[in-house]
Amino acid sequence: MRNLAVLASGTGSLFESMIERSVPIRVLVVDRPCRAQEIAERAGIQHVLLEREWKSFDRDKYTVDMVNILRQYGAEYVAMAGFMTILGAYMFESGTFGSKCTNIHPSLLPTFKGEHAVRDALAAGVKITGTTIHIATKDLDAGLILAQEPVRVLPGDTEESLHERIKKTERILYPELLLGLMRDELL
Ligand code: GRF
């Protein structure tokens, strides 16, 4: 089994699903105070707050700091799970994490990239959307697709109800994929 670091920014429900499936997590890194830290604390998982600036954000410096923390904890793989800061190219270059960083996005990529994927899917009137796990690259929501699952859009869906249904699927798909990755069964 390999050492995995998880990056999160919010409620951390995907992070929680990884813990429930016994994905071996070495450290959680968050970019703002958030519920994910409480989940880590309760589970006895080390966690680090690498707080980001909002005015005059130095993305390259933040990325170097992130890589240093991940190395310090011996992370070999990195799973972004609702991490809302875009990291610089250094994170994804060979010699740092290269292709060993995954991201999960609440749409069937390459459609509906970006921060408002669920809202954009609703606005477009699609009947099916879903989730995608892919290798993270310096380009947003791009990179080799590792897994996808469709999710039906139901009449009366709001952004919240649809996103919650997508997350239910993600909470099964992501831990499963990461366990395969950790056992060197993928890539
Ligand atoms: C997920 O929908 C994921 O696809 C997206 O952020 C959400 C994270 O959910 N990147 P949570 O904070 O783990 O509940």
Side-chain angles (χ1 to χ4, degrees), residues 10-14 82 104-106 163 167 170:
T11 57
S13 74
L14 300 193
I104 184 160
H105 180 77
H163 198 175
K167 286 208 232 177
E170 293 182 320

Side-chain angles (χ1 to χ4, degrees), residues 98-183:
S99 64
K100 292 184 171 166
C101 180
T102 55
N103 183 41
I104 184 160
H105 180 77
S107 79
L108 292 175
L109 289 173
T111 50
F112 308 124
K113 293 182 179 185
E115 211 181 320
H116 303 295
V118 180
R119 191 184 306 172
D120 293 346
L122 273 179
V126 296
K127 301 298 176 209
I128 292 182
T129 181
T131 183
T132 303
I133 301 168
H134 63 95
I135 300 292
T137 64
K138 65 179 178 44
D139 301 315
L140 189 66
D141 301 327
L144 180 73
I145 291 176
L146 301 176
Q148 287 187 305
E149 269 304 317
V151 173
R152 200 173 289 279
V153 180
L154 299 180
D157 254 338
T158 61
E159 187 178 353
E160 290 68 34
S161 65
L162 179 56
H163 198 175
E164 184 50 32
R165 196 164 337 101
I166 293 171
K167 286 208 232 177
K168 272 195 182 125
T169 300
E170 293 182 320
R171 291 180 199 122
I172 297 167
L173 194 66
Y174 210 9
E176 211 49 56
L177 180 125
L178 290 170
L179 284 169
L181 203 62
M182 301 290 96
R183 292 191 201 107

Side-chain angles (χ1 to χ4, degrees), residues 18-32:
M18 294 172 198
I19 296 170
E20 281 161 11
R21 288 300 321 277
S22 305
V23 176
I25 301 167
R26 174 58 66 94
V27 65
L28 168 80
V29 187
V30 296
D31 62 355
R32 66 199 77 188

